[in-house]
Amino acid sequence: MASVAAPPVSCQHYHKLTFHNRNTWTRNHNNSNNLFPPFTVPKSSLTSHTKTHSPILQRLHNLCDSGNLNDALNLLHSHAQNGTVSSSDISKEAIGILLRACGHHKNIHVGRKVHALVSASHKLRNDVVLSTRIIAMYSACGSPSDSRGVFDAAKEKDLFLYNALLSGYSRNALFRDAISLFLELLSATDLAPDNFTLPCVAKACAGVADVELGEAVHALALKAGGFSDAFVGNALIAMYGKCGFVESAVKVFETMRNRNLVSWNSVMYACSENGGFGECCGVFKRLLISEEEGLVPDVATMVTVIPACAAVGEVRMGMVVHGLAFKLGITEEVTVNNSLVDMYSKCGYLGEARALFDMNGGKNVVSWNTIIWGYSKEGDFRGVFELLQEMQREEKVRVNEVTVLNVLPACSGEHQLLSLKEIHGYAFRHGFLKDELVANAFVAAYAKCSSLDCAERVFCGMEGKTVSSWNALIGAHAQNGFPGKSLDLFLVMMDSGMDPDRFTIGSLLLACARLKFLRCGKEIHGFMLRNGLELDEFIGISLMSLYIQCSSMLLGKLIFDKMENKSLVCWNVMITGFSQNELPCEALDTFRQMLSGGIKPQEIAVTGVLGACSQVSALRLGKEVHSFALKAHLSEDAFVTCALIDMYAKCGCMEQSQNIFDRVNEKDEAVWNVIIAGYGIHGHGLKAIELFELMQNKGGRPDSFTFLGVLIACNHAGLVTEGLKYLGQMQNLYGVKPKLEHYACVVDMLGRAGQLTEALKLVNEMPDEPDSGIWSSLLSSCRNYGDLEIGEEVSKKLLELEPNKAENYVLLSNLYAGLGKWDEVRKVRQRMKENGLHKDAGCSWIEIGGMVYRFLVSDGSLSESKKIQQTWIKLEKKISKIGYKPDTSCVLHELEEEGKIKILKSHSEKLAISFGLLNTAKGTTLRVCKNLRICVDCHNAIKLVSKVVKRDIIVRDNKRFHHFKNGLCTCGDFW
């Protein structure tokens, strides 16, 4: 934003000082509404009195003001030849007027002729005033080399000439040349820099980000006593701000004796540009109550503070600024209107943004690009293209590269591919694809529209491929389901001589995470360490995500712990990572650390911690998180709502899940899916089917997740006929192709019902190759029904797919053990030992008083272990009186009966229930979560315990819920 930069300096300011009192000049500029003092002298020229007495000069002024510079030059020539312009002062003034007009209209052709006229005159060729004006003219016309030629040709170089050339260099962004000239001024002359030299040099220091030289200029200003000048102070503020030294910029501002509106605007801009949006708003508030005379916010103020409001989402503050701008009568200014439209769009007030846009009578291309971006950000594809078509009908504006860049994010699905190709054709015809950003954006857009072939063609059509171009294609494949191709492209990129940057590394880590390619990810990590990239937060988060998705939570936690300034994203990644890797206690601990560290959780963290609560049935903690979400106004978020329904369902509170579901006004497919799945895992198959039918009556469209929930419900309720019906209807009636998880559910359903032959037949007829989950489910059913023939056939398939998974050997061992084939059991266990595999121990959790307690089989680690064991012995005596007999068939060890009974007593769910009875009041419902399927003996025992202690006991195993009450279980002994 130009308003915060030092004002352009030219020799013309010096001449003004020559003819006017300095204090008056400074005061007039301090009170000026124009924050950008023009490079040229105002129309009240150096000898304005001559205009009144010279009709020639008046005529010359009129021609220059109207842009008729050739006529003005002819007038000057004709009167010089006729002798009409006799006064040398008037002649100089006339030439000065014409030079100024040439600079203003950027007419270097006429300017060169005037220069030639001056050079041909013996009296004028060495005139310092005209030389400075010629330098200024060439600089304004964008030809600083000509300015340098005039400077070098001057016989005597005074400070006016140096300042004019310095200003020209700064104006044309030749910052290093400006610095060299300044050093020449200091070393080769006796001239002392003044208050017009220093702002130009400060601007040059900012241009090359040389804060050390800028500090030297600052010191020089203090030493020369020129720091009282507002122009110098403003230039220093701008310099420090652009170099990222906000504290220094604020310090200059606070110590300035003479501040004007540019000073306030400059320090606000310095804060905003360096991410200090809150500080920017704070300075603006100070400006409003400032006692400094005559300071009224202007256009430059508004276009600085409004984006700051947008950046921090302070829409209320933005509305106040909007009201103030309206009172000041500057909302009609196109830049102010554009800033307001942008602010409302970014804060989610698209309706207000559109209303302001429609009211803007002087729309420019920025106006259109801003509102298009607002619609694109919201994913309003139709709105974006309607605006684009309307924009093309405007005569005064033309679609440019930024327009295309703003439109492309709205193209995010296959159904938008045709429109994307239309935009591509338009961009190609207008040459926009020469812009690397545009070409890269098309690569990304085609990828999101599932057309990677088109993305590659755009990439191949680029003339000069940069690292960013490669990043666009590599990222497109990594993010859209082709991570292997992205790794291949990286190798091609390296062969072409390109070195990866942080964005390349981020995409590669994503690709490795998607492939669960841990070894390759570690190699990339090594590359990062060697090149110092791990310190980057973006890369650090990508690395954490890699290890988390590859189930290496320890390595992910190490990266997390090493990060000094943990952002909200870091905490989110860690919490959801623990939750997804079934480490719920660690997720809850991390959430507590986040809160104690003063980090305010948002929707993602809340969703992650609710998932952790659901894994261990931590109802009290889940309720506390629910309360937090309500207070933080997060409960209306769709993801949080689904997580709450899921949490209460998995904590055994279907009534509460139903209450939350009923309060959702606009139910999307995700909400229906969660409640259907909730009833499914509780074995309420008919209720799940009822909701499935209601969903369709309400206009919901079942998807693959809906059918998965329905099939799970049919599975746990033993509704085999209904389950097979819905599997058949999925694709034929609803157009949803069954996936492996759907077939796995139906295979499990048939297996549980004892229809093992039908289950095996379905597996063999599946269109896709069955995975280990399907074979594992079928082998488990073979074990339950003692089918050795099918079991051995299935085990071969399973061990071929996953030879290093302990659970598979355990299933086979259990099959043999259940049939009394102990020799085969020993062989299987020997294979496990040779492969270094160990069986997962049975583990149960129970939440009491907001703390989650974990119990392992035969766990004696708690201080209350003896009390727990004694409690179960007492319970066992009571339930034995009403029919309990230990069922040792589920103890698959070659032991005597007494040894088997001893093992049964130490099952983890029995320990958890005993602990719960010891530490809760009478009548309290006990909620236990178990990592394995509950055994027959525990199921029988807990049914009777619920009767003798007169308690509801809810156990969730790895398959479903069991609600024990008064000696019965809701599963009906079918699980």
Side-chain angles (χ1 to χ4, degrees):
M1 191 178 75
S3 64
V4 298
V9 179
S10 76
C11 60
Q12 294 152 2
H13 293 138
Y14 290 91
H15 289 288
K16 192 160 188 176
L17 285 173
T18 304
F19 290 96
H20 298 283
N21 178 273
R22 174 180 175 107
N23 292 331
T24 303
W25 181 86
T26 304
R27 185 171 60 253
N28 288 342
H29 274 259
N30 285 344
N31 294 333
S32 171
N33 287 327
N34 182 8
L35 300 189
F36 316 96
F39 184 82
T40 54
V41 180
K43 291 182 182 178
S44 54
S45 61
L46 305 183
T47 53
S48 57
H49 60 280
T50 57
K51 288 175 66 176
T52 308
H53 304 288
S54 173
I56 297 173
L57 290 180
Q58 182 63 56
R59 219 176 131 197
L60 189 68
H61 265 295
N62 294 338
L63 290 170
C64 288
D65 289 344
S66 62
N68 296 317
L69 302 188
N70 283 309
D71 293 342
L73 180 62
N74 292 334
L75 176 66
L76 190 62
H77 271 301
S78 63
H79 285 283
Q81 291 171 357
N82 296 334
T84 309
V85 184
S86 56
S87 169
S88 61
D89 287 339
I90 295 177
S91 176
K92 285 169 56 179
E93 177 66 12
I95 293 172
I97 292 169
L98 188 50
L99 285 169
R100 182 191 68 207
C102 290
H104 178 72
H105 293 286
K106 301 192 184 309
N107 192 330
I108 196 171
H109 180 67
V110 174
R112 291 190 192 282
K113 291 181 179 179
V114 178
H115 181 192
L117 180 66
V118 172
S119 299
S121 170
H122 181 71
K123 293 181 179 180
L124 302 178
R125 70 177 61 160
N126 293 317
D127 187 279
V128 176
V129 175
L130 291 179
S131 294
T132 55
R133 289 185 183 275
I134 293 170
I135 290 174
M137 180 273 297
Y138 279 128
S139 296
C141 290
S143 183
S145 58
D146 284 314
S147 295
R148 182 73 198 207
V150 175
F151 176 83
D152 291 338
K155 290 184 178 180
E156 296 183 7
K157 298 180 179 65
D158 60 7
L159 192 58
F160 296 163
L161 284 174
Y162 273 98
N163 284 342
L165 188 57
L166 268 173
S167 176
Y169 280 149
S170 293
R171 182 190 187 115
N172 288 279
L174 297 173
F175 302 121
R176 298 198 181 278
D177 290 330
I179 291 171
S180 297
L181 184 65
F182 174 66
L183 296 176
E184 178 187 324
L185 169 68
L186 294 178
S187 60
T189 73
D190 296 327
L191 301 173
D194 63 5
N195 295 345
F196 298 99
T197 317
L198 298 178
C200 293
V201 182
K203 181 179 179 181
C205 293
V208 296
D210 191 342
V211 73
E212 292 183 0
L213 182 58
E215 289 173 335
V217 174
H218 187 176
L220 190 61
L222 290 170
K223 185 177 180 181
F227 194 57
S228 60
D229 189 281
F231 283 168
V232 177
N234 296 342
L236 289 170
I237 292 172
M239 182 273 296
Y240 281 123
K242 289 183 178 178
C243 292
F245 287 72
V246 182
E247 290 184 7
S248 298
V250 172
K251 188 174 181 180
V252 172
F253 173 78
E254 298 293 353
T255 55
M256 285 175 67
R257 281 176 280 175
N258 298 313
R259 291 192 296 227
N260 56 19
L261 188 56
V262 181
S263 313
W264 289 87
N265 290 345
S266 297
V267 76
M268 280 190 281
Y269 186 74
C271 292
S272 180
E273 281 297 285
N274 289 279
F277 305 111
E279 291 81 355
C280 174
C281 295
V283 174
F284 176 71
K285 292 174 184 177
R286 282 181 57 193
L287 170 62
L288 297 181
I289 61 174
S290 172
E291 296 180 356
E292 296 179 29
E293 185 180 354
L295 295 185
V296 178
D298 66 352
V299 171
T301 317
M302 296 302 170
V303 298
T304 301
V305 75
I306 292 171
C309 295
V312 293
E314 281 286 350
V315 70
R316 292 185 180 179
M317 174 86 172
M319 288 177 175
V320 171
V321 177
H322 183 184
L324 179 60
F326 182 78
K327 290 180 180 179
L328 295 173
I330 56 178
T331 51
E332 296 300 317
E333 290 286 340
V334 66
T335 53
V336 176
N337 188 283
N338 291 345
S339 296
L340 287 169
V341 170
D342 181 65
M343 184 271 295
Y344 282 119
S345 296
K346 287 179 178 174
C347 292
Y349 288 71
L350 195 56
E352 286 77 359
R354 182 58 186 266
L356 275 173
F357 172 79
D358 290 338
M359 288 176 0
N360 185 356
K363 299 181 186 73
N364 58 16
V365 68
V366 176
S367 312
W368 287 94
N369 289 345
T370 302
I371 192 66
I372 286 173
W373 168 245
Y375 276 82
S376 184
K377 181 177 69 71
E378 293 296 321
D380 189 343
F381 175 78
R382 180 176 297 177
V384 166
F385 276 83
E386 286 177 354
L387 282 166
L388 181 62
Q389 290 167 357
E390 190 178 340
M391 180 182 181
Q392 289 177 292
R393 290 193 290 269
E394 289 286 324
E395 295 181 358
K396 296 181 180 179
V397 294
R398 293 183 64 185
V399 173
N400 61 14
E401 290 87 345
V402 176
T403 317
V404 175
L405 287 171
N406 288 354
V407 168
L408 290 179
C411 302
S412 57
E414 291 184 39
H415 59 286
Q416 293 155 359
L417 181 59
L418 183 59
S419 297
L420 175 59
K421 289 183 176 181
E422 290 177 8
I423 301 169
H424 188 184
Y426 181 91
F428 180 80
R429 290 192 299 274
H430 289 80
F432 294 159
L433 289 171
K434 294 178 182 178
D435 187 303
E436 182 188 347
L437 289 176
V438 175
N440 293 344
F442 271 108
V443 172
Y446 273 122
K448 286 193 293 183
C449 291
S450 303
S451 182
L452 288 168
D453 289 342
C454 291
E456 289 188 27
R457 282 198 289 271
V458 174
F459 174 79
C460 293
M462 295 184 194
E463 293 182 3
K465 298 177 181 66
T466 64
V467 174
S468 297
S469 309
W470 282 99
N471 288 347
L473 191 61
I474 291 171
H477 283 83
Q479 294 165 18
N480 292 278
F482 294 91
K485 183 65 179 292
S486 66
L487 295 175
D488 294 338
L489 286 166
F490 169 68
L491 296 177
V492 178
M493 170 186 166
M494 294 291 287
D495 289 341
S496 69
M498 294 282 184
D499 292 325
D501 62 10
R502 56 193 293 268
F503 297 105
T504 322
I505 297 297
S507 294
L508 294 176
L509 290 173
L510 174 63
C512 292
R514 294 273 173 87
L515 292 168
K516 299 195 183 302
F517 201 167
L518 184 59
R519 180 177 176 181
C520 182
K522 286 183 175 180
E523 291 176 1
I524 296 170
H525 189 180
F527 175 86
M528 290 161 52
L529 290 173
R530 292 191 296 274
N531 291 274
L533 290 173
E534 192 180 358
L535 299 178
D536 184 289
E537 183 187 358
F538 168 75
I539 295 296
I541 291 173
S542 298
L543 193 57
M544 282 169 53
S545 299
L546 163 74
Y547 287 126
I548 287 169
Q549 291 189 50
C550 291
S551 301
S552 297
M553 285 303 304
L554 178 59
L555 294 175
K557 184 70 162 57
L558 289 173
I559 301 295
F560 176 75
D561 291 340
K562 285 171 62 178
M563 299 179 78
E564 294 182 3
N565 299 315
K566 298 178 179 67
S567 67
L568 181 61
V569 178
C570 297
W571 289 98
N572 289 343
V573 169
M574 210 65 223
I575 291 169
T576 54
F578 278 128
S579 182
Q580 290 167 3
N581 281 276
E582 298 182 355
L583 295 168
C585 297
E586 290 79 355
L588 295 170
D589 288 341
T590 306
F591 185 72
R592 292 190 185 99
Q593 292 172 26
M594 180 183 184
L595 292 175
S596 62
I599 305 295
K600 185 178 179 182
Q602 295 298 321
E603 292 86 349
I604 296 176
V606 170
T607 302
V609 80
L610 284 171
C613 292
S614 70
Q615 288 177 38
V616 291
S617 294
L619 181 61
R620 177 172 170 174
L621 282 173
K623 286 182 174 180
E624 290 176 1
V625 177
H626 186 184
S627 177
F628 173 85
L630 287 169
K631 291 176 182 177
H633 306 290
L634 302 176
S635 58
E636 297 301 316
D637 179 79
F639 291 102
V640 174
T641 298
C642 289
L644 284 168
I645 296 172
D646 183 64
M647 182 273 294
Y648 281 114
K650 289 180 178 175
C651 288
C653 297
M654 279 311 303
E655 184 179 351
Q656 188 63 28
S657 286
Q658 184 70 52
N659 288 339
I660 296 173
F661 173 80
D662 290 340
R663 289 200 296 268
V664 178
N665 294 324
E666 296 182 6
K667 298 177 176 67
D668 61 8
E669 281 75 12
V671 175
W672 286 101
N673 292 347
V674 173
I675 194 70
I676 290 171
Y679 278 108
I681 60 175
H682 281 268
H684 301 311
L686 296 177
K687 179 64 176 178
I689 291 173
E690 177 188 333
L691 284 167
F692 174 68
E693 300 297 336
L694 183 60
M695 171 188 181
Q696 296 173 78
N697 293 336
K698 296 287 186 180
R701 242 184 124 177
D703 58 17
S704 63
F705 295 104
T706 318
F707 280 103
L708 185 60
V710 171
L711 291 174
I712 288 173
C714 293
N715 183 8
H716 291 310
L719 302 175
V720 177
T721 304
E722 290 82 354
L724 291 173
K725 180 186 76 172
Y726 286 121
L727 179 67
Q729 289 180 350
M730 276 183 67
Q731 186 159 2
N732 298 332
L733 193 59
Y734 297 94
V736 178
K737 183 181 178 182
K739 298 180 181 178
L740 282 176
E741 52 264 33
H742 299 99
Y743 285 110
C745 193
V746 176
V747 168
D748 189 51
M749 179 182 67
L750 291 169
R752 285 172 186 271
Q755 300 179 26
L756 298 177
T757 304
E758 291 80 357
L760 184 59
K761 181 181 179 183
L762 177 61
V763 170
N764 293 327
E765 291 176 353
M766 284 169 47
D768 298 319
E769 193 70 26
D771 64 1
S772 59
I774 291 176
W775 292 118
S776 174
S777 171
L778 189 52
L779 181 57
S780 179
S781 296
C782 292
R783 177 256 179 271
N784 293 335
Y785 286 95
D787 193 320
L788 180 61
E789 183 181 353
I790 295 178
E792 287 185 328
E793 181 184 346
V794 169
S795 67
K796 290 178 182 178
K797 298 284 187 181
L798 182 59
L799 294 176
E800 284 176 7
L801 287 174
E802 290 182 340
N804 295 315
K805 190 172 182 180
E807 182 185 341
N808 300 333
Y809 293 93
V810 172
L811 285 172
L812 180 58
S813 173
N814 290 347
L815 171 65
Y816 287 131
L819 295 171
K821 294 182 173 294
W822 297 110
D823 289 339
E824 298 300 326
V825 170
R826 282 189 284 274
K827 289 178 183 178
V828 173
R829 289 178 179 172
Q830 181 62 31
R831 285 179 64 185
M832 287 181 65
K833 186 176 180 180
E834 291 171 357
N835 293 336
L837 303 176
H838 301 281
K839 175 186 175 181
D840 290 338
C843 181
S844 295
W845 295 267
I846 187 170
E847 181 205 34
I848 296 175
M851 294 292 293
V852 177
Y853 297 88
R854 186 174 67 167
F855 296 86
L856 295 171
V857 174
S858 305
D859 190 1
S861 60
L862 285 176
S863 59
E864 297 174 283
S865 293
K866 287 186 178 179
K867 287 184 180 181
I868 293 170
Q869 292 170 5
Q870 290 170 0
T871 299
W872 183 256
I873 291 171
K874 291 177 182 179
L875 286 172
E876 201 170 78
K877 287 180 180 179
K878 290 181 179 180
I879 61 178
S880 295
K881 292 178 182 179
I882 58 174
Y884 170 70
K885 291 182 180 180
D887 188 338
T888 58
S889 65
C890 54
V891 180
L892 303 175
H893 296 278
E894 194 175 2
L895 297 171
E896 296 295 331
E897 191 71 8
E898 186 178 341
K900 293 182 178 181
I901 292 174
K902 186 178 179 180
I903 289 176
L904 289 177
K905 293 179 187 291
S906 63
H907 278 195
S908 62
E909 57 264 58
K910 292 175 180 175
L911 300 178
I913 289 170
S914 300
F915 181 78
L917 292 171
L918 281 170
N919 292 279
T920 58
K922 290 182 178 180
T924 303
T925 299
L926 300 182
R927 301 173 190 277
V928 176
C929 184
K930 182 175 172 62
N931 68 332
L932 302 176
R933 183 174 180 267
I934 190 170
C935 72
V936 174
D937 180 73
C938 287
H939 193 271
N940 292 338
I942 297 170
K943 278 197 299 183
L944 297 174
V945 168
S946 70
K947 185 174 183 177
V948 298
V949 299
K950 296 179 181 179
R951 298 251 202 142
D952 286 1
I953 301 174
I954 300 174
V955 177
R956 192 185 98 205
D957 66 12
N958 67 344
K959 297 295 182 181
R960 59 161 298 154
F961 271 88
H962 301 267
H963 292 244
F964 299 97
K965 183 176 182 179
N966 197 28
L968 299 174
C969 179
T970 54
C971 74
D973 297 338
F974 179 83
W975 78 98

